[in-house]
């Protein structure tokens, strides 16, 4: 089964007056949809846009794997485990909240910040928090705690990408345009594939994609 979600179909959120604009792909906060609670291990796929000086004050997480991909600008991260980091375009940040952690996310830079933040359910909700930043990720990032693998795919126009068989595959378009069969996908659009084999994406322009491959828990 294939489900396409357009960028305009995401649930609006954040606090625009405070310089925070959010678009949620899955049920989040006041946007409750019992048919859209999660996909595979994914609990949230949020597009975040922060104006200079804006951010999220300290708040808690637990039993969640939080993966962040910076599209433009600089994300400043602080957490209660003692990590302070600036995450830039092309960097992947992974915070394993495990038994509990608090963190702050801000745009302390001079330019607008855009990032995609993805929350995944762990297979075993336990253990101490952990934190990692991969600078300039260009290959796969395995997340065994959630039974998932993320690939960042950068395609040239007219290139094809065969999607690997998986119980669940989630494709998020970061930049450019691709097509999945007869369906064009543009920035912010996403495709959810369940139990599909042999699907192929065609880049109609240069494109950047986030592709999750997940197994059934």
């Amino acid at each position: 089964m294939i489900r396409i979600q357009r960028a305009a179909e995401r649930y609006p959120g954040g606090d625009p007056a405070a310089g925070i604009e959010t678009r949620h792909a899955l049920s989040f906060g006041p946007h409750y949809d019992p048919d859209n609670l999660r996909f595979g291990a994914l609990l949230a796929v949020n597009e975040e846009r922060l104006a200079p000086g804006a951010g999220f004050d300290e708040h808690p997480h637990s039993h969640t794997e939080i993966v962040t991909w910076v599209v433009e600008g600089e994300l400043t991260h602080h957490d209660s485990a003692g990590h302070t980091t600036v995450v830039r375009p092309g960097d992947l940040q992974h915070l394993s909240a495990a038994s509990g952690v608090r963190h702050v996310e801000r745009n302390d830079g001079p330019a607008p910040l855009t990032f995609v933040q993805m929350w995944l359910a762990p297979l075993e909700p336990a253990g101490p928090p952990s934190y990692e930043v991969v600078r300039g990720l260009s290959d796969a990032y395995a997340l065994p705690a959630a039974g998932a693998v993320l690939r960042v795919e950068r395609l040239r126009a007219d290139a094809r990408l065969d999607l690997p068989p998986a119980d669940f595959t989630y494709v998020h378009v970061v930049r450019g345009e691709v097509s999945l069969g007869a369906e064009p996908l543009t920035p912010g659009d996403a495709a959810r594939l369940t139990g599909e084999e042999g699907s192929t994406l065609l880049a109609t322009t240069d494109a950047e994609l986030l592709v999750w491959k997940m197994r059934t828990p």
Side-chain angles (χ1 to χ4, degrees):
M1 182 175 70
I2 299 176
R3 175 182 174 182
I4 305 296
Q5 183 184 44
R6 303 297 177 187
E9 297 171 341
R10 290 172 171 265
Y11 311 118
D15 184 354
I20 302 171
E21 294 187 12
T22 306
R23 293 294 182 268
H24 305 287
L26 297 162
S27 281
F28 201 99
H31 300 289
Y32 177 73
D33 180 351
D35 296 323
N36 195 30
L37 295 177
R38 65 184 288 175
F39 179 75
L42 285 166
L43 303 173
V45 181
N46 300 336
E47 287 189 326
E48 305 283 1
R49 292 174 173 82
L50 303 184
F56 299 98
D57 293 334
E58 186 175 86
H59 56 280
H61 289 281
S62 62
H63 308 306
T64 310
E65 304 296 320
I66 303 172
V67 176
T68 304
W69 180 254
V70 175
V71 179
E72 62 180 2
E74 296 183 347
L75 171 65
T76 299
H77 165 95
H78 305 278
D79 66 44
S80 56
H83 304 103
T84 297
T85 313
V86 176
V87 189
R88 299 180 175 86
D91 295 344
L92 178 139
Q93 175 182 258
H94 174 207
L95 174 63
S96 180
S99 56
V101 69
R102 302 180 67 86
H103 73 155
V104 176
E105 297 169 300
R106 296 195 55 80
N107 179 7
D108 289 334
L113 165 65
T114 301
F115 61 94
V116 181
Q117 189 165 93
M118 299 152 282
W119 300 6
L120 295 91
L123 299 174
E124 299 291 338
S130 63
Y131 180 77
E132 179 181 27
V133 173
V134 180
R135 302 293 186 186
L137 180 70
S138 59
D139 201 351
Y141 184 81
L143 195 63
V149 175
L150 174 66
R151 294 193 68 91
V152 179
E153 302 285 357
R154 298 179 178 91
L155 306 177
R156 294 291 188 185
D158 298 325
R160 293 180 179 272
L161 174 65
D162 294 326
L163 296 174
D167 295 332
F168 300 95
T169 301
Y170 188 94
V171 180
H172 175 86
V173 181
V174 177
R175 313 175 200 271
E177 299 181 9
V178 300
S179 62
L180 178 60
E183 293 285 351
L185 302 174
T186 58
D189 290 350
R192 306 178 194 183
L193 296 83
T194 307
E196 290 287 323
E197 294 187 14
S199 297
T200 300
L201 291 167
L202 171 65
T204 50
T205 69
D206 291 355
E208 181 177 287
L209 313 171
L210 301 177
V211 180
W212 281 103
K213 177 182 176 181
M214 297 166 283
R215 64 178 177 87
T216 301

